[in-house]
Amino acid sequence: MTIAPSDILLTDRVAVVTGGGAGIGRGIADGLARFGAKVAIWDRDPQVCADTARELGVLGLVVDVRDAEQVDGALDRTCAELGPVDILVNNAGGVFASPLLDTSENGWDALYRANLRHVLLCTQRVARQLVAGGRGGSVISLTSIEGVRAAPGYAAYAAAKAGVINYTRTAAFELAPHGIRVNAIAPDITVTEGLLRLSPDGIRPELSQAVPLGRLGEVDEIASAAVFLASDMARYITGQTLHVDGGTQAAGGWYHPTDGGAARFGPG
C-alpha cells in the first residue's frame, strides 16, 4: 500500500481540542481545521473561547473539563452540532511552582485535576462513544518533557505529566482492539502568548542554548505533530509519546556551547 497526499487530510472528521482557546491548544485547533476537520474547542474562559471560535470559524463551548458533568454536556452538544467525535486532543492544563517541601494537599490536588484528571474524563467519554458506534479514532494528549525528567520546584506538575505518558500507553493497549489510537505529544518550552506575557524583557537566551536545535519551539510545530498523529499517516502508531522539543529530551543534559567548541555535559 502506497501513501498519498490525501492521507494527511482530516476532511469532515470531528475534532475536540480541550483548552483550545489560546496557546498550543489554539494552534492545534487551527491546524486541524486547516486540514479539513470540523473542530470544537472546549475552554473554560468564556471570552477567550468566544473570540477564538469566531476567529478560527470553529465551535466554541465553555467547559471546565475537570468536571465530569460539564464534559458529558459538551460532548453531547458537540455531537449534536458537528457529529460524532473522531479526534480528541487533551490539551488543557496548568502549572504553578510548588516546591516539594511546601506542596500542600490542595496544591497537589489542583495540579492533578488540571493536568491528569481531565485526560481520564475526556478520553473515557469519547472512547465510549467510539466503541458504541463501532468506529476507530485518535486520542492525543499533551504532556511535557517534565514528565520524563526532574523538575525542581514542580514535582506535582511533573508527576501529573508523567501520569499522562503512562495513561497513554495503557489506554492505547486497552483501546487498540476497537481501532482507537492513543498517543501523546511532549513539548519543551514553546513560545506562546502566555510565555511572552511572562517575559516582558524578552525570553532569556540561555533557554534556547539548552535546546540542541538552538531555539525554542513554535506553536505551529506542535500543531503539525498533532495533525500527523490524528491523520491516516499515523494509522499504525499508538501508545507513543512524541517529543517535539528540538532534541532536548534526546540530549539528556548535553549542550552545544555558543563558542562552537566541543559538546559538554551541563551548562558550564
Side-chain angles (χ1 to χ4, degrees):
M1 180 178 179
T2 58
I3 62 173
S6 60
D7 290 342
I8 196 69
L9 297 180
L10 306 172
T11 307
D12 292 331
R13 298 184 195 181
V14 176
V16 167
V17 182
T18 70
I24 290 174
R26 177 193 169 107
I28 291 174
D30 188 23
L32 296 174
R34 289 178 183 273
F35 278 76
K38 297 184 287 186
V39 177
I41 57 172
W42 296 358
D43 200 286
R44 62 176 178 158
D45 186 313
Q47 192 60 57
V48 168
C49 186
D51 290 346
T52 299
R54 183 181 65 256
E55 291 164 8
L56 300 185
V58 301
L59 175 65
L61 300 179
V62 179
V63 187
D64 184 341
V65 291
R66 299 171 298 182
D67 183 280
E69 289 186 5
Q70 292 192 42
V71 170
D72 289 337
L75 182 57
D76 287 345
R77 185 172 167 192
T78 299
C79 292
E81 298 200 25
L82 300 181
V85 174
D86 304 288
I87 301 161
L88 168 66
V89 181
N90 292 309
N91 166 78
V95 63
F96 54 81
S98 185
L100 179 65
L101 298 181
D102 301 325
T103 300
S104 66
E105 292 180 22
N106 285 341
W108 176 276
D109 289 345
L111 286 164
Y112 156 73
R113 282 168 53 83
N115 294 286
L116 185 55
R117 185 175 194 266
H118 69 86
V119 175
L120 163 66
L121 294 178
C122 295
T123 300
Q124 183 184 67
R125 268 57 175 188
V126 169
R128 284 172 177 168
Q129 170 204 273
L130 288 169
V131 171
R135 299 163 42 245
S138 175
V139 176
I140 303 162
S141 298
L142 271 290
T143 179
S144 167
I145 192 172
E146 310 302 354
V148 295
R149 69 180 183 188
Y154 295 88
Y157 171 78
K161 290 302 187 182
V164 173
I165 293 171
N166 209 297
Y167 185 79
T168 294
R169 294 190 186 108
T170 303
F173 182 82
E174 291 195 26
L175 296 175
H178 303 287
I180 302 169
R181 297 183 297 105
V182 187
N183 293 290
I185 297 173
D188 195 355
I189 299 176
T190 303
V191 180
T192 62
E193 313 97 291
L195 178 62
L196 294 173
R197 281 196 300 271
L198 293 172
S199 310
D201 299 324
I203 297 172
R204 303 197 318 273
E206 61 267 27
L207 295 178
S208 295
Q209 184 185 350
V211 181
L213 286 182
R215 62 175 177 82
L216 302 186
E218 300 288 342
V219 166
D220 287 350
E221 291 164 332
I222 312 301
S224 296
V227 169
F228 166 69
L229 288 174
S231 77
D232 289 343
M233 283 281 192
R235 60 184 172 269
Y236 201 55
I237 299 175
T238 193
Q240 303 304 307
T241 295
L242 180 59
H243 285 265
V244 185
D245 61 5
T248 308
Q249 191 266 343
W254 285 90
Y255 290 78
H256 292 295
T258 55
D259 60 10
R264 61 173 176 254
F265 189 78

